[in-house]
């Protein structure tokens, strides 16, 4: 134990403080004596307390209790967690009751499994680690120190196989050691068995159509075994090769041919006779084949792009036709195409994730996008407020409100318990999206129901859409399902709403057949109210909902993917209230046609119908109807281009255009304009991954333009984006790193930008096919030894060592500054009192002495209370004898001829009396020898009898004893 100081330099202030007190004591004249000394002592103590407080005085005491912080590896490379649980329970059971422990698990990131506890018999279960595909030992050790509790001497014990693939655990252990925390390790068993895996697969990043190239594959095996290697190009099997694997590493070069132009993914799979895990038997590579670009045409119904495909066939433009259900949904698959065309494909059939991938393909990789019209396109297709709308040059709603009839819309939403989770959240998003599509002249009501209906928003004009959206966000899922009362209540309210069109949208995932639905829908038809129904999931009563939609002159939707609900609601909102189909024939007016003017200079055929949209502010309107509404609009979106053709590509609304002699040239010119503009082979890209980190290398085949810079971006499988800073490594060579911890595909786009505009662009891909936890064991034992050595610990074998008394002494400091200040505050008034208030010390001293005297007399009286009367008389007689000079001693002395003088001196009785002797009584006995007469004459001559004199003497003595 001892005292320490946080700011010891403040102790120097004691020197001027002592000097000031010295001069005060020397010059002080008002105070004297004890008062002056007392004030000097108080002031000295006061200054001492204040300086110690400012210096941050701390009381230090050693810690008596331990805390073990267990860091448990829960990654997939560890065989199971049973061995860790058993070791921990044994260690905790043997600890002292006052010692504590905490447990955290780790994978990609650490997670606290059990906070601080002193329980000696816990029932341990693990499972809070979110991503066990990686081992981040460094992150676990970093968090461990944060679990140390005050008042305990901590140690960290790491339980792992040592196969880390993120971070540097030895460095973190050394840091903990410097902080006074010891790090021990316990080795856990790793997966074992015969293992064959593909370590990597690579192809040239740039290929040419018809070129033969090699796919380089690296395989690793723990045994010598026969295997078969398969290679897929875009999910199509292109090669099968038998191989004999040796123990260790095997490198293979597989010849392939670049047949089709575009960005291609190559997947390599190995199947071995002796193998334990299948998760590590796949690897991916990416390459781009230069050649004639290919278009992807997505038709909502067969023949929707008939006019377009005829034109492409005539010009020899390659294309593929897919339906919304079969179109590629991943960004890496969409990268194979140069142009994507959505031909009257409903947004309710294109999942939200696919729409996001399309938008990213246009913006980040320069792929062209075109949408053609029809009754399931643009706003009627439910594309309002979707990623596709962001990429297209038109808004899906009509911004000219004068042409829109007023709409009364009621949303009846099932909020029963079965709607909990994503269903209710997407239903609320759908309702919020509907509010954005409505205008102030429209009326909106939202009715939620379970066993009974509940009005979220009473039918109200849409004057404050944001407030309505906040109210919709408050819907919570609970209760049962009862459809009929909710629909009936919605009808009763909507029939009194004063709008030109009235529509109900009913959404549910349950069943509720009871109710007079025929009578209710008949009343709806009489009032001019329509109703559409949406069945979510497989448990909904689709037959009832289909019948309700038919009876109420609406539409029925069934979806097993709740992600489609917002698109369904926006489509229904558009269909219910807006006149989106302009079916008045017109001859298009030419706008910002630029290079297309020569195509239009001899006139244009008429258009029978189109979908009403609104051109975006920065878009170019090439063709429009007489009212100015766009027919053909285009713009630049990121690296890509996008076109909106609001009539159809089937030849029904635009049959005269289909028969136009320049029809094929028109479509081919549009498709050519949409082709990627910035792709180049002058940027050579290569990407790799290691330990959860991706690396990108860019080699310039020609110098950058003046003032140009390189910018790189990585888009993950979940379409998350990360900008990659590029650093100059060598002339013409740039490198950068990015996070690649999760298995999946990473698409990489590199742009050369000048003045903020793209000049050149290139792209590549990187795949993390499986977690590094499934790789072969490397140096786990050595890693554990290094961690223990760096942390000042050892590799533990015995569970009793977990709480062994081998930790260095650790002291805990407690700040006592506040206590010192409190003591100083208490002494301050005493100092003032001593200086300002005069205390009569002489009187106090006299009072104290008198008090002590009385206390002594009282004690003596009590001690003599048992003395007999004879003893008192004897003492009185002795007192009388002393007064008369007749004590036995004096008689003896007189016998010897010696007597005492009045001043205490002795004198012989034979000597002649001096002048002073005249003071003696005249009746003193003769000095020659005593006689009986002389003895009688020596008695007192008082007039009182002798008995009375003795009695008075006793009385006086008793009174004196009693304090009288």
């Amino acid at each position: 134990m001892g005292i320490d100081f946080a700011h010891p330099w403040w102790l120097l202030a004691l020197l001027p403080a002592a000097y000031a007190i010295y001069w005060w004591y020397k010059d002080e004249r008002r105070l004297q004596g004890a008062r002056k000394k007392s004030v000097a002592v108080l002031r000295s103590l006061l200054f001492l307390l204040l300086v110690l407080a400012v210096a941050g005085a701390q009381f230090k005491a050693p810690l008596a209790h331990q805390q073990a912080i267990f860091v448990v590896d829960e990654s997939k490379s560890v065989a199971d967690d049973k061995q860790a649980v058993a070791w921990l329970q044994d260690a905790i059971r043997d600890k002292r009751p006052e010692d504590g422990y905490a447990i955290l698990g780790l994978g990609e990131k650490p997670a606290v499994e059990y906070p601080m506890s002193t329980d000696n018999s816990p029932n341990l279960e693990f499972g809070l680690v979110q991503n066990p595909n990686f081992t981040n030992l460094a992150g676990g050790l970093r968090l461990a120190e944060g679990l140390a509790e005050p008042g305990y001497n901590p140690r960290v014990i790491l339980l792992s196989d040592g196969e880390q693939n993120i971070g540097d655990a030895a460095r973190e252990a050394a840091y903990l050691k410097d902080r006074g925390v010891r790090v021990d390790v316990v080795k856990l068993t790793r997966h074992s068995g015969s293992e064959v895996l593909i370590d990597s697969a690579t192809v040239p990043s740039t290929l040419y159509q018809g070129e033969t190239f090699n796919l380089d594959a690296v395989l690793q095996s723990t045994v010598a075994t026969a295997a078969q290697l398969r290679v897929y190009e875009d999910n199509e099997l292109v090669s099968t090769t038998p191989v004999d694997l040796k123990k260790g590493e095997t490198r293979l070069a597989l010849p392939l041919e670049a047949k089709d132009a575009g960005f291609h993914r190559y997947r390599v799979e190995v199947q071995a006779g002796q193998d334990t895990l299948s998760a590590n038997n796949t690897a991916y590579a990416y390459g781009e084949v230069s050649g004639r670009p290919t278009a992807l045409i997505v038709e909502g119904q067969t023949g929707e792009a008939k006019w377009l495909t005829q034109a492409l066939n005539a010009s020899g433009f390659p294309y593929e036709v897919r339906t919304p259900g079969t179109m590629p949904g991943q960004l890496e698959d969409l990268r194979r195409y140069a142009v994507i065309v959505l031909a009257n494909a409903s947004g309710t059939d294109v999942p939200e994730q696919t729409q996001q991938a399309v938008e990213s393909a246009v913006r980040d990789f320069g792929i062209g996008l075109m949408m053609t019209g029809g009754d399931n396109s643009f706003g009627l297709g439910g594309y309002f407020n979707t990623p596709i709308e962001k990429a297209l040059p038109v808004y899906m709603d009509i911004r000219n409100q004068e042409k829109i009839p007023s709409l009364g819309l009621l949303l009846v939403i099932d909020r029963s318990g079965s709607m909990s989770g994503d269903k209710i959240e997407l239903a609320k998003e759908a309702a919020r999206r509907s509010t954005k599509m409505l205008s102030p002249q429209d009326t909106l009501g939202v009715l939620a129901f379970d066993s009974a209906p509940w009005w979220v928003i009473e039918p109200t004009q849409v004057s404050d859409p944001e407030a309505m959206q906040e109210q919709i966000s408050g819907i919570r899922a609970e209760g049962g399902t009862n459809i009929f009362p909710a629909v009936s209540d919605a009808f009763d309210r909507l029939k009194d709403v004063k709008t030109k069109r009235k529509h109900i949208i009913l959404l549910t995932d349950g069943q509720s057949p009871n109710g007079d639905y025929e009578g209710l829908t008949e009343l709806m038809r009489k009032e001019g109210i329509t109703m559409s129904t949406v069945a979510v999931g497989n448990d909904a009563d689709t037959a009832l909902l289909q019948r309700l939609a038919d009876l109420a002159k609406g539409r029925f939707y069934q979806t097993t993917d709740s992600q489609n609900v917002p698109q369904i609601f926006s489509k229904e909102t558009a269909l219910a209230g807006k006149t989106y189909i302009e079916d008045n024939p017109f001859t298009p007016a030419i706008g910002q046609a630029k290079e297309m003017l020569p195509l239009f200079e001899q006139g244009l055929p008429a258009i029978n119908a189109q979908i009403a949209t609104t051109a975006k502010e920065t878009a170019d309107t090439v063709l429009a109807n007489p009212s100015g509404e766009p027919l053909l609009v285009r713009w630049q979106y990121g690296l890509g281009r996008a076109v909106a053709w609001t009539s159809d590509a089937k030849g029904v609304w635009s049959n005269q255009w289909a028969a136009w002699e320049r029809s094929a040239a028109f479509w081919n010119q549009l498709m050519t304009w949409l082709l990627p503009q910035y792709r180049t082979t002058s940027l050579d890209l290569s990407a790799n991954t290691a330990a959860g980190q991706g690396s990108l290398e860019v080699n310039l085949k020609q110098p950058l333009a003046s003032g140009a810079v390189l910018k790189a971006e990585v888009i993950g499988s979940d379409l998350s984006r990360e900008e990659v800073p590029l650093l100059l490594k060598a002339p013409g060579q740039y490198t950068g790193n990015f996070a690649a911890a999760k298995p999946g595909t990473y698409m990489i786009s590199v742009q050369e930008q000048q003045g903020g505009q793209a000049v050149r662009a290139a792209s590549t891909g990187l795949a993390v096919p499986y977690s590094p936890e499934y790789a072969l064991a490397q140096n786990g034992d050595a890693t554990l030894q290094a961690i223990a050595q760096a942390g000042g610990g050892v590799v533990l074998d015995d569970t009793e060592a977990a709480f062994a008394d081998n930790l260095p002494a650790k002291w805990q400091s407690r700040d006592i500054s506040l206590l010192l200040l409190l003591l100083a505050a208490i002494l301050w008034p005493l100092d003032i009192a001593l200086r300002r208030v005069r205390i009569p010390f002489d009187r106090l001293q006299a009072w104290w002495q008198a008090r002590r005297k009385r206390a002594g007399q009282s004690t003596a009286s009590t001690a003599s209370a048992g003395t007999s009367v004879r003893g008192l008389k004897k003492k009185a007689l002795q007192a009388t004898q002393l007064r008369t000079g007749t004590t036995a001693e004096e008689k003896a002395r007189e016998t010897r001829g010696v007597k005492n003088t009045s001043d205490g001196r002795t004198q012989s009785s034979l000597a002649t009396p001096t002048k002073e002797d005249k003071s003696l009584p005249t009746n003193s006995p003769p000095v020659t020898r005593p006689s009986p007469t002389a003895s009688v004459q020596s008695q007192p001559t008082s007039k009182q009898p002798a008995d009375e004199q003795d009695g008075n003497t006793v009385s006086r003595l008793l009174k004196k004893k009693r304090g009288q």
Side-chain angles (χ1 to χ4, degrees), residues 1 200 213 215 268 387 703 762 778 805 955:
M1 294 185 291
S200 65
F213 63 96
L215 185 151
V268 185
Q778 300 296 322
D805 190 14
S955 299

Side-chain angles (χ1 to χ4, degrees), residues 1-6 8 11 52-53 55-61 811-817 819-820:
M1 294 185 291
I3 299 294
D4 196 6
F5 299 95
L11 296 177
L52 292 180
Q58 298 175 341
F59 179 75
K60 297 183 65 176
W811 296 69
Q812 184 179 31
S813 297
R814 296 184 179 180
D815 192 354
I816 59 174
S817 299
L819 177 61
L820 296 176

Side-chain angles (χ1 to χ4, degrees), residues 8-25 43-44 46-48 50-51:
W9 287 105
W10 278 102
L11 296 177
L12 295 176
L14 291 173
L15 298 177
Y19 184 76
I21 293 174
Y22 166 75
W23 278 107
W24 171 85
Y25 191 85
R43 287 193 172 181
S44 300
L46 188 63
F47 275 113
L48 176 63
L50 291 175
V51 172

Side-chain angles (χ1 to χ4, degrees), residues 705-722:
S706 178
V709 296
L710 285 178
K711 289 191 174 181
E713 191 173 47
V714 175
I715 297 93
S717 300
D718 56 354
L719 300 180
S720 61
R721 309 165 67 86
E722 178 185 356

Side-chain angles (χ1 to χ4, degrees), residues 270-482:
V270 61
Q271 293 181 347
Q274 301 182 50
D275 195 13
T276 303
L277 299 175
S278 60
N280 53 13
N281 292 348
T282 305
Y284 295 89
Y286 294 91
E288 186 161 9
V289 179
S290 299
R292 299 193 64 183
T294 303
L296 172 65
I297 300 176
V298 181
E299 292 183 329
Q301 298 291 333
T302 302
E304 290 291 346
K306 178 181 178 181
W307 175 24
L308 171 61
T309 55
Q310 288 177 351
L312 296 181
N313 286 331
S315 62
F317 197 108
Y319 66 88
E320 292 181 16
V321 178
R322 300 285 187 92
T323 65
T326 60
M327 72 174 293
Q330 301 297 322
L331 178 60
E332 57 185 303
D333 296 324
L334 293 173
R335 283 281 289 107
R336 302 206 314 265
Y337 306 100
V339 179
I340 300 173
V341 180
L342 299 175
N344 199 25
S346 175
T348 61
D349 297 330
V350 181
E352 183 85 5
Q353 183 77 9
T354 302
Q355 293 192 37
Q356 292 176 357
V358 171
E359 187 264 343
S360 178
V362 178
R363 180 188 62 232
D364 302 315
F365 299 97
I367 295 175
L369 174 65
M370 179 166 61
M371 178 177 285
T372 65
D375 55 1
N376 282 311
S377 64
F378 297 102
L380 293 181
Y383 285 103
F384 176 79
N385 202 26
T386 62
I388 295 294
E389 184 188 32
K390 289 175 61 179
L392 288 174
V394 294
Y395 296 110
M396 299 300 161
D397 56 337
I398 304 173
R399 302 297 172 96
N400 183 8
Q401 301 296 336
E402 296 179 356
K403 300 183 60 177
I404 303 174
S406 58
L407 170 66
L409 178 66
L410 286 188
L411 307 178
V412 183
I413 299 174
D414 185 352
R415 67 156 189 168
S416 62
S418 59
M419 286 287 293
S420 60
D422 288 342
K423 289 183 182 179
I424 193 65
E425 293 302 322
L426 289 167
K428 290 190 290 185
E429 171 59 26
R432 288 191 292 263
R433 191 174 295 184
S434 294
T435 64
K436 298 178 183 178
M437 297 182 66
L438 299 177
S439 63
Q441 67 179 350
D442 297 328
T443 298
L444 175 68
V446 179
L447 178 66
F449 70 92
D450 43 34
S451 299
W454 165 58
W455 282 100
V456 180
I457 301 175
E458 299 278 350
T460 308
Q461 283 193 311
V462 187
S463 58
D464 190 353
E466 293 183 358
M468 289 182 167
Q469 292 168 24
E470 290 182 3
Q471 291 176 277
I472 291 169
S473 298
I475 300 176
R476 298 290 181 268
E478 57 186 357
T481 304
N482 196 355

